[in-house]
Amino acid sequence: MAKLTVFFFFSLIISSSLAFQSDELLVDDDEFGLEGAKPQSSSSSSPTTIRKRYSDPDLDSKVQFTLEHAFGDSDFSPAGTFSARLKSWSHGGKTLTKLRFSRNGFSDQEKHTFNNLLKGDDFYRIRLPSNVISPPGKEFVVASVRARCLPRDGLDEHFVIHMEGANILAVSYGSLGACQYPRQFKLPAKWSFNSHTILKSSEQAPRTPIFTEEIVGGENAEGEVEPPPERSFWAKYWMYLIPLGLVVMNAVTQATNMAEEQTGGQAGGSQVQQSARRR
Amino acid sequence: MAMAIRVCLLLLVFLSSAIVSFSLYEDQVGLMDWHQRYIGKVKHAVFHTQKTGRKRVIVSTEENVVASLDLRHGEIFWRHVLGTKDAIDGVDIALGKYVITLSSQGSMLRAWNLPDGQMVWETSLHSAQSSKSLLSVPINLKADKDYPILVFGGGYLHAVSAIDGEVLWKKDFTAEGFEVQRVLQPPESSVIYVLGFLHSSEAVVYQIDSKTGEVVAQKSMVFPGGFSGEISSVSSDKVVVLDSTRSILVTIGFLDGDISFHKTPISDLVEDSGNAEILSPLLSDMLAVKVSKRTMFVRVGGEGKLEVVDSLSDETAMSDSLPVADDQVAFASVHHEGSKIHLMVKLVDDLDTVLLRESIQMDQHRGRVHKVFINNYIKTDRSNGFRALIVMEDHSLLLLQQGAIVWSREEGLASVTDVTTAELPVEKDGVSVAKVEHTLVDWLKGHVLKLKGSLLLASPEDVAAIQEMRMQSSGRSKLTRDHNGFRKLFIALTRAGKLFALHTGDGRIVWSMLLNSPSKSEACERPSGISLYQWQVPHHHAMDENPSVLVVGRCGSDSSAPGVLSLVDVYTGKEISSSDIGHSVVQVMPLPFTDSTEQRLHLIADTEGHVHLYPKTSEALSIFQREFQNVYWYTVEGDDGIIRGHAMKSSCAGETADEYCFTTRELWTVVFPSESEKIISTLTRKPNEVVHTQAKVSTDQDVLYKYVSRNLLFVATVSPKGAGEIGSVTPEESALVVYLIDTITGRILHRLSHQGCQGPVHAVFSENWVVYHYFNLRAHKYEVTVVEIYDQSRAENKNVWKLVLGKHNLTAPISSYSRPEMFTKSQSYFFAQSVKTIAVTSTAKGITSKQLLIGTIGDQILALDKRFVDPRRTLNPSQAEKEEGIIPLTDSLPIIPQSYITHSLKVEGLRGIVTAPAKLESTTHVFAYGVDLFYTRLAPSKTYDSLTDDFSYALLLITIVALVAAIYITWVISEKRELSEKWR
């Protein structure tokens, strides 16, 4: 498949008749996020390390938005903070990079409520603002999971945040691995979150390949109306040849019989019988 | 010996004739398919009776069809389906030979040749603003050998030549905002009077020279109260209009260019005053006014004096007036009485003179009479006869003459909104099969004929006989279930709220039922059907129950209007029960559970966010309670760009609640930013689709597992700018993004953006793939993209040892809360045609390969093998891939003319395609609806599991007999010869 794409692009490059299309490689923000802060740093909201500074800091700005959670049908309350760099592109687009997450640990009260959730196999719900620049934007983006899916050793959580510019389209929330269906009641060994975060933006569809003239010609000769491979004469016409052979044989034996009948030959009769039985 | 040779020859012949033909031959048309042509609910009808031997009527309909019908039999002589946005405003006949239609809000004028419907000319008229439109074809107006047609629309008054469609002159009224109401032409004058309103408070009369378009005189007069817009012209110099309070009738006289008003309060005419309404019929010197459910005839006297002469009950339909002999004018009225309708034709001048009084027995399921058009003819005894064309509530069109229904057309079927399928009853024991082949002789004769046909020996008469035999054979129009499942019923719900059951064999209407028949309760006067669901499909137990369908309706057009549920027995077409459910209907969700009588459980969501369980039985409730935790649903708010997921919460609280009402809670939301994305299409898999195997073995002995989930939602969004018509934006401004969303957790499983692409998106979702069609602005072509989703969590099961030792997870339950491990493959192709709808074939077990059924812009249906939209296609497939059936990649999808399943027919105004499996795995039913209906049976992988209809059993039998005989004879001969040799 990869080879094919390369081939398409090559064919696109060599065909100068095509309309102009920006060849700019959009930075793939896929899987650009990184895992959350230390599980133990319960309420410290600011990120501790920033690995790399961008060359033009005026175009970048820091944004923070809060994660809120709710237990079952309770109201939402703050549960953590995402902080990220908002990178403005020259063409006006904005993307979020370097996402960091600090999770607030559960208070005792919350632990108790969460225990109840686990018992009732109820929903643990989270929400994020739909716009990170001017929260909450149009709406909150909500996601839920059955509470029993979360506990492993600690509390495993996995965020996939789907971004469109500075807007959050949706967030997928759940445990990192599988959640077996008859969900077992299990208390977490440690009341600490093990958070993983992924930012995802939209993938560009590959351009539909346009085959240039000569390639189309070549393809046609090669692929589209390719003649079926030559089969041997025998393979093609065996079904006609066998009966024909039998007929000829019959005719021959008949002829010999005719000749032999006068001379009193013997072979004819048995031949006929054989050939008749063979059919 | 000679016998043996002959046998061989026979065998050869047999072998060569047994090479099965796969494509459709000319003589096979109509064997499995049928096509019905409709026109829709008639809006206008113009009779044409001048001299022409074959009487015909010209009609225009709400489906934007202009057609010429045979008055004797109701057949269509010709018809033209205009585009969906090209609504017909008026139709008339000019010069006695042209049908003139005005459409698109008065901006398109066309002339059609009356006898054959050829277009004679077409004129696009200048239109500056949207306004009401008016078509007037003056009968005896003549300007320099030309016959002008006067058209008002879009703020302009045009005079168009009837001969060639040239614009003779036009008058611009856009500046003043003048709305033309009537164009009147005094006889023997070249000046026309154009009467209209200015800001609906000032009456203006222009006198315009019909030759040049110059304004000869203009008079205007302000009416303090303002007009309500409804107008009725009663004579050549008077019109009557209602004032804005709808309580005063104003007679406007404009004799000799002077405008005069004459006010008559309605309360002077009748005691119980209310909001009045002027009915549309054009009656001379008389008008019909509807006041508080009664229709009154008001005669207009010489000085604008009004006088009530008659009144009728509400349910009366009236025709326009029709000149009859001796300068008299007649009109027809139709009213109901019990199961009969009464047609009366009266003289306008003298309402006591009834020219015709007829009573006709009318089917209850046609509802009320909506429209009447009358026409007169000279009877054999030289007296006047009348025939009436009536349009019923169910949109059907009937011709009444001599007290009988001469013909009827079920025009409701031109506006099918929802279709479902139903089985026919099982054949009862004791009821013998209607014998098709009566005796052995007939049977043999038939087969000899067939044999002749297949040996190309048949004469034309024989061919006709064979054709007829084929039509009759297999009893394809019987009303019982057959072994192959070829006979079925399609239940169609029409916009008029009528249910039709159509037989797949010949397309006839088995039964029909109007949901709002007059016998219904008054609580819900005019329920409109929304959708159709299979309520009860007994097939395992409860076999003695008849299957039934659920029709969900609404008491008004508003979405918060209370809903109506109606259960209809499929075998008999009788309504089992009907109930006002007392809450609104936003969404109906069939659940995958049935109760002991195989009634399917349905959830109905209302506007308040509650869901209601149906049927309301304790058994259903207990089934539902068991699965309470696992019921999820979602809503799409298209205007806000939000998709929400919900789960059940608890029973409703409050005094009005019952135990079948549940509250819900929001689980997830997907919020599309309003500045960059707008939802244009959402789609899910068909809930009853069968997937044969989850595994897909590729060429290199690798296994891919299809990600088969019922909870996937396909969503397509475009940039708000790009939501308009194709080409209205530049490629940089528009992007199309498609999503696959899990509706339990709200996870976005796949997201792909197509830059420079635009809707409309037509998509089809089946098994683990989505195919969608859109427009690529950069390439200036339509594109089709396929996305296939594969499950990776099961990918480790390839190891045979794991399978043997049972260490696989194939039987583990799947939870949506597990993190999905899946990957998608996609590929795009160009497609040369724009598309109206896409469907996919469905078969009983899902083994047969699939075909995409593409409803093209030409109203035909193209069958395209799914193999053409396979992301595994490559430019140079290896030998192994070729053997597997992978087609070399091309940049566009082929359109093979032979693969149009509609062959030479057109399904005019195609709106939808429905597929349903037959019992025979290879075969699928296809039903397409639009203005026309079309049905056919398809076998996407050929009929591999049955012999074709024209398979010659006789030939097979003869061959076998001949072979046996030959063997026996040769054996005898050889025995004899052996004996004689031994005796020698």
Side-chain angles (χ1 to χ4, degrees):
Chain A
M1 197 64 209
K3 267 185 200 166
L4 196 67
T5 338
V6 170
F7 176 68
F8 289 156
F9 272 96
F10 187 66
S11 69
L12 283 170
I13 289 160
I14 57 167
S15 63
S16 55
S17 62
L18 291 169
F20 171 73
Q21 272 188 315
S22 166
D23 274 336
E24 178 194 358
L25 181 73
L26 291 170
V27 170
D28 196 1
D29 278 335
D30 215 354
E31 317 268 329
F32 204 81
L34 48 142
E35 61 200 70
K38 302 283 176 294
Q40 301 298 345
S41 66
S42 54
S43 60
S44 66
S45 61
S46 60
T48 47
T49 53
I50 295 171
R51 285 182 195 155
K52 197 162 73 177
R53 293 226 167 254
Y54 281 88
S55 51
D56 45 351
D58 6 316
L59 280 178
D60 294 3
S61 56
K62 260 185 169 178
V63 286
Q64 277 202 345
F65 49 97
T66 46
L67 169 83
E68 293 175 297
H69 64 177
F71 302 89
D73 298 318
S74 75
D75 289 335
F76 282 97
S77 57
T81 317
F82 284 98
S83 55
R85 233 158 224 299
L86 190 70
K87 190 163 170 60
S88 303
W89 296 93
S90 51
H91 56 75
K94 286 179 175 142
T95 46
L96 222 55
T97 55
K98 300 207 87 65
L99 185 76
R100 287 177 184 284
F101 177 50
S102 73
R103 184 70 147 109
N104 304 345
F106 276 156
S107 66
D108 287 344
Q109 173 63 32
E110 284 170 335
K111 276 179 195 168
H112 178 70
T113 348
F114 195 78
N115 263 336
N116 287 343
L117 281 191
L118 288 177
K119 274 176 203 148
D121 194 18
D122 211 343
F123 289 103
Y124 176 67
R125 303 195 291 158
I126 58 144
R127 73 175 187 189
L128 290 172
S130 70
N131 191 311
V132 294
I133 301 172
S134 54
K138 190 160 81 170
E139 270 270 345
F140 284 99
V141 172
V142 185
S144 318
V145 72
R146 295 273 183 191
R148 287 188 185 177
C149 288
L150 291 180
R152 293 278 180 281
D153 285 340
L155 290 164
D156 262 7
E157 60 178 0
H158 183 76
F159 296 89
V160 182
I161 302 175
H162 292 267
M163 303 290 301
E164 171 66 51
N167 291 298
I168 298 177
L169 280 181
V171 54
S172 306
Y173 182 69
S175 66
L176 201 55
C179 182
Q180 297 296 332
Y181 171 56
R183 287 179 285 270
Q184 304 300 327
F185 174 63
K186 180 186 161 194
L187 282 174
K190 284 187 291 183
W191 284 99
S192 61
F193 275 102
N194 189 10
S195 311
H196 300 265
T197 312
I198 287 179
L199 270 186
K200 268 195 177 173
S201 65
S202 151
E203 264 176 66
Q204 290 285 327
R207 280 174 231 168
T208 311
I210 304 170
F211 305 136
T212 48
E213 285 301 312
E214 55 271 23
I215 295 177
V216 168
E219 278 323 297
N220 271 347
E222 211 177 8
E224 216 170 28
V225 278
E226 192 181 338
E230 267 308 307
R231 285 183 296 174
S232 68
F233 180 75
W234 179 247
K236 268 191 215 165
Y237 300 113
W238 64 269
M239 66 283 264
Y240 307 111
L241 287 176
I242 290 176
L244 196 74
L246 288 171
V247 169
V248 168
M249 256 165 71
N250 276 336
V252 168
T253 48
Q254 185 92 356
T256 49
N257 280 349
M258 294 285 224
E260 277 173 27
E261 238 167 60
Q262 273 130 18
T263 57
Q266 297 183 5
S270 63
Q271 269 293 340
V272 169
Q273 198 177 357
Q274 265 181 24
S275 68
R277 274 188 192 151
R278 211 176 294 165
R279 244 159 283 149
Chain B
M1 203 72 249
M3 193 66 208
I5 298 168
R6 232 168 276 160
V7 167
C8 279
L9 273 174
L10 218 80
L11 201 80
L12 260 176
V13 167
F14 173 69
L15 275 172
S16 60
S17 71
I19 296 166
V20 186
S21 54
F22 290 143
S23 48
L24 193 69
Y25 287 108
E26 199 182 341
D27 62 338
Q28 287 173 318
V29 167
L31 277 182
M32 294 191 295
D33 56 322
W34 45 261
H35 179 239
Q36 291 174 356
R37 309 204 305 160
Y38 292 101
I39 52 175
K41 186 185 182 187
V42 169
K43 279 200 289 196
H44 313 280
V46 184
F47 288 91
H48 178 75
T49 49
Q50 283 177 7
K51 287 174 282 184
T52 38
R54 308 183 78 180
K55 317 269 170 158
R56 45 181 73 184
V57 58
I58 309 295
V59 292
S60 73
T61 71
E62 287 180 358
E63 304 293 325
N64 304 342
V65 178
V66 54
S68 169
L69 301 180
D70 186 343
L71 269 184
R72 300 250 187 286
H73 308 104
E75 284 152 14
I76 299 171
F77 277 127
W78 54 263
R79 75 176 168 163
H80 292 285
V81 182
L82 308 184
T84 43
K85 288 174 188 158
D86 205 7
I88 298 171
D89 305 311
V91 61
D92 211 337
I93 292 178
L95 304 176
K97 58 179 180 180
Y98 293 158
V99 177
I100 308 291
T101 59
L102 180 69
S103 57
S104 294
Q105 292 191 318
S107 63
M108 203 52 116
L109 193 67
R110 296 186 180 95
W112 317 88
N113 195 15
L114 190 57
D116 56 3
Q118 302 268 12
M119 189 190 279
V120 183
W121 49 260
E122 179 184 59
T123 305
S124 177
L125 301 174
H126 189 72
S127 164
Q129 67 210 37
S130 66
S131 68
K132 64 173 280 186
S133 58
L134 189 89
L135 170 72
S136 163
V137 182
I139 301 156
N140 43 12
L141 184 69
K142 198 174 176 207
D144 305 332
K145 297 182 204 161
D146 218 334
Y147 298 89
I149 298 164
L150 298 169
V151 176
F152 176 75
Y156 283 88
L157 181 71
H158 289 86
V160 181
S161 160
I163 295 168
D164 53 5
E166 221 171 285
V167 177
L168 300 174
W169 50 262
K170 69 177 173 188
K171 179 89 187 76
D172 186 356
F173 291 123
T174 47
E176 305 101 288
F178 175 71
E179 289 251 315
V180 173
Q181 298 289 343
R182 278 288 180 274
V183 176
L184 298 167
Q185 181 222 349
E188 312 295 321
S189 160
S190 69
V191 173
I192 49 171
Y193 287 79
V194 178
L195 171 78
F197 299 146
L198 209 56
H199 314 301
S200 37
S201 65
E202 190 175 350
V204 186
V205 174
Y206 286 96
Q207 290 181 34
I208 294 178
D209 186 351
S210 64
K211 288 194 176 71
T212 58
E214 272 167 37
V215 176
V216 178
Q218 178 192 356
K219 282 271 156 47
S220 67
M221 197 166 161
V222 176
F223 182 75
F227 303 112
S228 69
E230 288 164 67
I231 190 165
S232 176
S233 54
V234 289
S235 66
S236 60
D237 58 357
K238 266 199 282 311
V239 296
V240 179
V241 69
L242 272 171
D243 80 332
S244 54
T245 61
R246 289 176 177 275
S247 57
I248 301 170
L249 283 170
V250 185
T251 314
I252 306 173
F254 46 94
L255 196 66
D256 307 324
D258 282 326
I259 298 181
S260 62
F261 294 129
H262 188 279
K263 288 188 260 185
T264 315
I266 298 228
S267 48
D268 287 6
L269 301 173
V270 280
E271 293 85 45
D272 50 340
S273 65
N275 271 0
E277 195 182 330
I278 293 184
L279 297 179
S280 56
L282 293 167
L283 304 170
S284 57
D285 288 330
M286 184 129 89
L287 80 154
V289 184
K290 189 175 159 188
V291 186
S292 55
K293 295 202 169 183
R294 287 195 72 76
T295 305
M296 292 183 305
F297 292 100
V298 180
R299 188 179 307 287
V300 183
E303 292 84 43
K305 233 171 95 64
L306 301 180
E307 174 196 5
V308 177
V309 285
D310 199 2
S311 76
L312 288 168
S313 73
D314 179 36
E315 307 294 351
T316 306
M318 271 175 300
S319 73
D320 288 351
S321 61
L322 173 86
V324 290
D326 312 328
D327 296 334
Q328 283 179 317
V329 181
F331 75 99
S333 66
V334 179
H335 66 271
H336 283 265
E337 200 178 292
S339 64
K340 284 189 166 182
I341 60 165
H342 298 283
L343 169 71
M344 277 196 278
V345 180
K346 295 179 186 173
L347 282 182
V348 172
D349 297 332
D350 181 11
L351 288 178
D352 296 331
T353 314
V354 178
L355 299 177
L356 180 80
R357 187 195 295 274
E358 284 171 356
S359 298
I360 296 142
Q361 191 70 35
M362 186 60 78
D363 181 5
Q364 284 284 306
H365 288 295
R366 292 197 188 278
R368 309 208 170 278
V369 178
H370 271 190
K371 282 196 168 97
V372 187
F373 305 95
I374 60 160
N375 172 229
N376 62 337
Y377 61 95
I378 310 293
K379 286 199 227 170
T380 43
D381 60 352
R382 302 267 163 207
S383 64
N384 256 321
F386 293 93
R387 55 167 84 93
L389 199 62
I390 58 172
V391 180
M392 305 295 291
E393 193 175 356
D394 68 342
H395 297 183
S396 61
L397 184 70
L398 297 97
L399 186 83
L400 309 181
Q401 190 177 329
Q402 294 157 13
I405 299 169
V406 183
W407 50 261
S408 63
R409 294 181 61 87
E410 290 290 351
E411 293 303 336
L413 283 170
S415 55
V416 171
T417 54
D418 204 355
V419 180
T420 186
T421 55
E423 294 288 346
L424 283 159
V426 187
E427 209 153 341
K428 297 254 176 17
D429 291 333
V431 182
S432 73
V433 184
K435 283 234 163 96
V436 184
E437 281 93 19
H438 298 282
T439 59
L440 191 69
V441 180
D442 282 351
W443 184 83
L444 260 180
K445 244 189 219 167
H447 279 293
V448 167
L449 267 178
K450 268 188 192 172
L451 187 65
K452 265 172 135 181
S454 53
L455 294 178
L456 303 173
L457 297 171
S459 63
E461 297 94 72
D462 290 346
V463 172
I466 294 169
Q467 195 74 4
E468 198 185 339
M469 214 166 55
R470 277 183 182 171
M471 297 294 280
Q472 285 173 352
S473 71
S474 69
R476 64 174 205 159
S477 55
K478 275 199 304 187
L479 271 178
T480 50
R481 219 175 280 188
D482 66 332
H483 185 67
N484 291 334
F486 288 168
R487 292 199 294 265
K488 260 192 174 189
L489 289 180
F490 275 105
I491 314 289
L493 178 69
T494 67
R495 201 183 305 142
K498 194 170 183 179
L499 271 187
F500 288 93
L502 301 170
H503 196 287
T504 56
D506 51 3
R508 73 174 188 277
I509 296 165
V510 177
W511 52 259
S512 62
M513 196 209 76
L514 190 68
L515 291 173
N516 45 338
S517 52
S519 55
K520 275 289 197 52
S521 66
E522 293 295 306
C524 183
E525 212 170 82
R526 218 156 273 266
S528 57
I530 315 171
S531 47
L532 201 56
Y533 300 89
Q534 290 188 334
W535 178 256
Q536 195 177 16
V537 187
H539 60 290
H540 285 314
H541 31 275
M543 286 298 280
D544 48 335
E545 302 258 351
N546 287 2
S548 52
V549 289
L550 169 73
V551 186
V552 182
R554 211 177 261 155
C555 276
S557 53
D558 191 23
S559 69
S560 59
V564 189
L565 296 188
S566 176
L567 289 180
V568 180
D569 187 323
V570 169
Y571 290 171
T572 60
K574 297 276 181 300
E575 194 167 45
I576 301 165
S577 71
S578 160
S579 53
D580 298 341
I581 51 179
H583 59 80
S584 57
V585 177
V586 177
Q587 210 173 344
V588 185
M589 292 161 276
L591 295 175
F593 318 118
T594 52
D595 67 5
S596 59
T597 57
E598 300 219 21
Q599 293 189 55
R600 187 159 294 276
L601 270 60
H602 284 70
L603 282 181
I604 298 181
D606 64 9
T607 41
E608 282 153 24
H610 296 168
V611 291
H612 304 263
L613 178 71
Y614 291 89
K616 289 195 173 187
T617 58
S618 54
E619 188 194 357
L621 192 65
S622 69
I623 294 169
F624 183 67
Q625 293 287 11
R626 232 178 287 148
E627 301 290 341
F628 192 71
Q629 288 278 310
N630 293 329
V631 175
Y632 301 84
W633 60 289
Y634 68 94
T635 50
V636 179
E637 292 163 26
D639 298 334
D640 303 332
I642 301 175
I643 301 175
R644 294 177 199 277
H646 310 267
M648 297 296 128
K649 191 173 166 188
S650 58
S651 293
C652 288
E655 61 273 22
T656 55
D658 56 9
E659 50 186 332
Y660 303 103
C661 165
F662 301 94
T663 58
T664 60
R665 58 169 122 185
E666 188 180 294
L667 283 190
W668 53 265
T669 53
V670 174
V671 182
F672 296 106
S674 52
E675 66 271 14
S676 62
E677 292 184 37
K678 182 177 186 300
I679 300 172
I680 53 166
S681 171
T682 58
L683 183 75
T684 54
R685 274 178 58 194
K686 265 203 243 171
N688 54 359
E689 190 186 49
V690 183
V691 180
H692 173 61
T693 172
Q694 206 197 350
K696 193 169 181 176
V697 182
S698 61
T699 44
D700 45 354
Q701 305 304 314
D702 207 357
V703 181
L704 292 174
Y705 289 91
K706 297 174 188 170
Y707 188 83
V708 183
S709 165
R710 293 200 189 282
N711 307 313
L712 282 185
L713 176 70
F714 168 83
V715 181
T717 67
V718 286
S719 324
K721 272 186 182 174
E725 295 214 345
I726 288 167
S728 56
V729 283
T730 60
E732 286 71 36
E733 286 173 326
S734 185
L736 174 83
V737 193
V738 295
Y739 298 86
L740 282 171
I741 297 172
D742 185 300
T743 56
I744 306 293
T745 58
R747 282 180 213 267
I748 295 179
L749 300 179
H750 171 75
R751 180 179 173 201
L752 193 66
S753 81
H754 297 268
Q755 289 298 324
C757 293
Q758 208 183 2
V761 170
H762 298 282
V764 61
F765 197 158
S766 169
E767 293 195 356
N768 67 326
W769 51 264
V770 187
V771 171
Y772 52 97
H773 176 270
Y774 54 93
F775 190 76
N776 187 332
L777 289 163
R778 287 213 172 99
H780 310 289
K781 282 177 184 171
Y782 284 101
E783 270 184 12
V784 168
T785 296
V786 56
V787 177
E788 293 193 352
I789 320 143
Y790 291 100
D791 196 350
Q792 228 165 7
S793 63
R794 317 210 149 199
E796 297 98 53
N797 297 323
K798 284 171 211 159
N799 195 328
V800 181
W801 286 111
K802 273 192 179 175
L803 287 176
V804 170
L805 297 171
K807 284 187 177 172
H808 57 83
N809 58 353
L810 289 178
T811 49
I814 302 168
S815 169
S816 283
Y817 291 107
S818 301
R819 192 169 152 218
E821 295 171 54
M822 35 79 69
F823 65 99
T824 57
K825 286 183 163 198
S826 88
Q827 206 166 57
S828 303
Y829 320 89
F830 292 120
F831 189 68
Q833 293 218 23
S834 79
V835 160
K836 282 187 166 175
T837 177
I838 310 185
V840 64
T841 57
S842 58
T843 51
K845 302 268 183 283
I847 301 168
T848 308
S849 65
K850 305 227 168 211
Q851 275 184 340
L852 296 179
L853 301 174
I854 302 172
T856 64
I857 195 73
D859 292 327
Q860 293 208 310
I861 300 169
L862 182 75
L864 183 76
D865 256 17
K866 171 69 178 61
R867 293 191 299 145
F868 284 104
V869 282
D870 185 344
R872 291 188 298 152
R873 283 174 74 183
T874 54
L875 271 178
N876 294 308
S878 66
Q879 193 58 40
E881 280 176 327
K882 273 183 197 164
E883 272 167 21
E884 203 204 335
I886 286 182
I887 302 163
L889 182 63
T890 48
D891 58 354
S892 58
L893 294 176
I895 294 177
I896 307 159
Q898 289 94 322
S899 55
Y900 281 106
I901 60 166
T902 43
H903 39 90
S904 62
L905 303 169
K906 275 174 92 180
V907 190
E908 293 281 3
L910 180 66
R911 283 197 311 272
I913 302 170
V914 178
T915 59
K919 259 188 220 155
L920 206 60
E921 167 55 29
S922 67
T923 312
T924 172
H925 298 278
V926 178
F927 180 67
Y929 58 91
V931 175
D932 289 356
L933 302 181
F934 176 77
Y935 162 84
T936 191
R937 232 164 42 214
L938 275 192
S941 304
K942 319 301 170 202
T943 47
Y944 56 81
D945 49 3
S946 70
L947 294 167
T948 50
D949 275 349
D950 47 354
F951 180 79
S952 181
Y953 291 95
L955 187 59
L956 182 68
L957 208 70
I958 291 168
T959 314
I960 293 168
V961 169
L963 274 173
V964 170
I967 289 167
Y968 181 73
I969 291 164
T970 44
W971 178 71
V972 170
I973 294 172
S974 72
E975 284 286 296
K976 269 188 187 167
R977 194 157 293 172
E978 228 166 284
L979 193 66
S980 65
E981 265 165 37
K982 281 184 181 160
W983 272 105
R984 197 146 356 137

